[in-house]
Amino acid sequence: MYDIIVIGAGAAGMTSALYALRNGKTVLVLEGESLGGQIAMSPRLENYPSIKEISGEQFADNLYEQITALGAEVEIDKVTGIEKADGKFTVTTEYGKYEGKSVIIAAGVKHKHLRTDRDDLVGKGVYYCAICDGPFYKDREVAIVGDANTALQYTLLLSSYCKKVYIYTLFDKFFGDGSLAKAVMAKENVEWRPKTSVFGFEGEKELTAIKYKDENGEVKTHEIPAVFIAIGQIPDNKAFANLVDLDKDGYIIADETCKTKTEGLFVAGDCRTKAVRQVSTAIGDGAVAATNASIYLESLNA
């Protein structure tokens, strides 16, 4: 029986483990895929306070070493369900079952990927976070793929320091807020390419060009050093739906306390409803969730 079971070993999950361990709790971290979550895919992390530059992989490795040194148990095992009975939680995975007094869900989200002929250039010119990786292309030309709020926000951000931003959309309209679309179209260094379909990437070790079809179906190539894909994110919270409330997009409904509707069950990071999804906000959630989980555990002994 563990004090706290953390589902997910990204920034939010491992920070949850860190704070729980420092509060004297026994912790099991369950990760279904790879350690580090999305941040581990970033070639450089430069927007975390006090760290000038570090690779996302190294950042994740450091956090992993920190929690295991404090006694965290980590298992690569995908969670398939959670139940609560008689005041304890049973977490079912593909390979077994684990019991805990409290659970923190930090399952993260996945970016929707373009269907292309290449997936080896992610982090090498193909990116999914302009806030994280856009500054590497200051004074250079870049491209955006997407037509909703995130794509428009990324375009405005990139246009503030990039030489030129090309925005590719499937349709001849934007599906984000009108004010954002108006602001984008007012930028002199933004070129909108509607009715286009980006379907391929070129480059050996780094991106050199994107391939797309125009509105007439003609295949064209655009030489560009970076493209930012902003076609949405997908949470994977169905396994927890019996104990949490989900919004229409599948995110776990919780405020800044990181508490769910089930007592003793908390949520941290990108998988919960929130306005900003960054490594720093994920870490903040992890600290809050673990602190409140520890308070909950103390209340059981009161």
Side-chain angles (χ1 to χ4, degrees):
M1 172 78 73
Y2 295 91
D3 289 328
I4 299 175
I5 297 176
V6 179
I7 300 172
M14 289 197 283
T15 301
S16 296
L18 174 64
Y19 273 73
L21 290 160
R22 287 177 59 83
N23 277 322
K25 310 306 178 188
T26 57
V27 177
L28 170 67
V29 180
L30 297 170
E31 170 56 51
E33 295 184 0
S34 57
L35 298 173
Q38 291 186 59
I39 194 60
M41 300 292 290
S42 179
R44 284 178 288 178
L45 174 62
E46 293 183 338
N47 60 352
Y48 191 78
S50 83
I51 299 177
K52 184 176 180 180
E53 179 182 327
I54 189 172
S55 72
E57 183 179 12
Q58 186 61 59
F59 181 82
D61 286 346
N62 290 351
L63 194 48
Y64 173 75
E65 291 175 6
Q66 190 174 15
I67 65 171
T68 52
L70 289 172
E73 295 183 32
V74 181
E75 297 287 345
I76 303 299
D77 198 356
K78 183 176 177 60
V79 173
T80 58
I82 307 176
E83 300 289 341
K84 184 181 182 183
D86 300 324
K88 69 179 181 180
F89 292 89
T90 300
V91 178
T92 303
T93 67
E94 291 181 339
Y95 301 109
K97 293 185 176 182
Y98 303 89
E99 292 185 345
K101 299 175 184 177
S102 180
V103 172
I104 299 173
I105 301 169
V109 294
K110 295 180 179 179
H111 290 287
K112 291 182 180 178
H113 285 225
L114 284 176
R115 294 182 179 180
T116 70
D117 54 355
R118 299 281 297 275
D119 61 4
D120 59 315
L121 294 176
V122 175
K124 302 173 183 178
V126 178
Y127 304 102
Y128 289 85
C129 179
I131 298 172
C132 308
D133 303 304
F136 305 135
Y137 296 89
K138 182 180 179 181
D139 298 325
R140 302 179 72 184
E141 294 189 351
V142 300
I144 291 278
V145 178
D147 54 23
N149 279 343
T150 298
L152 294 170
Q153 290 167 344
Y154 280 1
T155 301
L156 289 173
L157 175 67
L158 292 168
S159 68
S160 68
Y161 52 76
C162 290
K163 181 179 179 181
K164 189 166 185 178
V165 181
Y166 298 86
I167 181 166
Y168 286 82
T169 65
L170 277 173
F171 304 99
D172 60 353
K173 63 178 293 186
F174 293 113
F175 294 91
D177 295 341
S179 59
L180 286 175
K182 185 177 180 180
V184 164
M185 297 310 298
K187 291 285 186 178
E188 293 184 359
N189 63 335
V190 171
E191 181 177 320
W192 180 27
R193 295 187 172 181
K195 295 184 178 181
T196 54
S197 175
V198 177
F199 68 89
F201 306 130
E202 294 183 353
E204 292 186 10
K205 295 183 178 180
E206 292 191 3
L207 180 75
T208 58
I210 60 175
K211 295 182 290 186
Y212 68 96
K213 292 181 180 179
D214 65 15
E215 61 181 311
N216 298 316
E218 183 179 348
V219 174
K220 295 185 176 181
T221 300
H222 182 181
E223 293 186 1
I224 201 91
V227 59
F228 296 86
I229 314 301
I231 57 175
Q233 295 177 319
I234 308 172
D236 186 15
N237 293 322
K238 293 180 181 178
F240 321 124
N242 59 315
L243 295 181
V244 302
D245 289 325
L246 304 179
D247 71 3
K248 62 181 180 61
D249 296 314
Y251 292 95
I252 296 173
I253 297 174
D255 61 15
E256 298 303 313
T257 66
C258 297
K259 296 178 180 179
T260 71
K261 71 174 185 179
T262 300
E263 191 176 23
L265 180 60
F266 303 85
V267 60
D270 290 356
C271 63
R272 79 168 179 91
T273 50
K274 58 193 306 181
V276 178
R277 292 182 170 87
Q278 288 288 294
V279 63
S280 56
T281 62
I283 285 172
D285 276 5
V288 171
T291 299
N292 283 334
S294 297
I295 292 171
Y296 165 76
L297 291 174
E298 294 302 323
S299 73
L300 297 180
N301 300 322

